[in-house]
Amino acid sequence: MTGIPAPRFAGSALVALTLAFVLAGCTTPDSAPTTDSASASSSSSDSPSATPRPTGTTTAVPINGQCDTGTLSGVIGQGGGGAAGSVEVSIVLTNNGSTECSLQGWPGVSFVGDGNGTQLGAAAQLDRSKPHPTVVLQPGGTAQAPLRIVQALNYSESECKPKPADGFRVYPPGSTESLFIKDTGVTACTSESVSLLTVGAFVAG
């Protein structure tokens, strides 16, 4: 009878050892997600950041004392002629305020129509081939920017998708507010792939 407890003790020890081994084996998968989580975190940090906010619609850096769109009025004036298949006019802005203000750079320009200010086609490209000085407008003073308009008839109807325009939407340099300049004698291409307008920087005049 003295030999019987020994096997029982050995069996218990064997069970305990086996259980410890099993438990040890179970801890290995628990540690795996920690490694995977770290990898995921590293992968996330390496991913591109959120898309930056788009830049504004201004066409020049705002300057001190720039003209407030609310104090400006605009007309289409005579230009310097134009090449074959195009005409050049000028965008003339007048300071209707009681104090001087300044314009510097290029206006944002596009055709509008449908009687409600809907933009028609692509906005004007900027002609950066000439200087763009700061123009100081006294009350009642004016500044002008050359605008070249390619005739819509230079393109096929299917490519251009022409439509009569009501005039132009004009953003003064450095401003996110626009003004409307009426001009019913122009035809726009409503296709975004066709660019009819090219505008230069404001100069005194």
Short mmCIF file of all heavy atoms in Angstrom, two decimals, residues 66 83 140-141:
data_model
loop_
_atom_site.label_atom_id
_atom_site.label_comp_id
_atom_site.label_asym_id
_atom_site.label_seq_id
_atom_site.Cartn_x
_atom_site.Cartn_y
_atom_site.Cartn_z
N GLN A 66 -6.92 96.93 -50.17
CA GLN A 66 -7.47 96.48 -51.45
C GLN A 66 -8.93 96.89 -51.57
O GLN A 66 -9.62 97.07 -50.57
CB GLN A 66 -7.33 94.97 -51.61
CG GLN A 66 -8.26 94.16 -50.71
CD GLN A 66 -8.15 92.67 -50.99
OE1 GLN A 66 -7.15 92.21 -51.52
NE2 GLN A 66 -9.16 91.92 -50.63
N ALA A 83 -6.23 89.03 -82.26
CA ALA A 83 -5.68 88.23 -83.35
C ALA A 83 -6.83 87.65 -84.16
O ALA A 83 -8.00 87.85 -83.86
CB ALA A 83 -4.81 87.12 -82.77
N GLY A 140 -13.69 107.37 -57.61
CA GLY A 140 -14.01 107.65 -59.01
C GLY A 140 -12.96 107.16 -59.98
O GLY A 140 -13.17 107.22 -61.21
N GLY A 141 -11.83 106.68 -59.47
CA GLY A 141 -10.75 106.21 -60.33
C GLY A 141 -11.03 104.83 -60.93
O GLY A 141 -11.88 104.08 -60.43
#
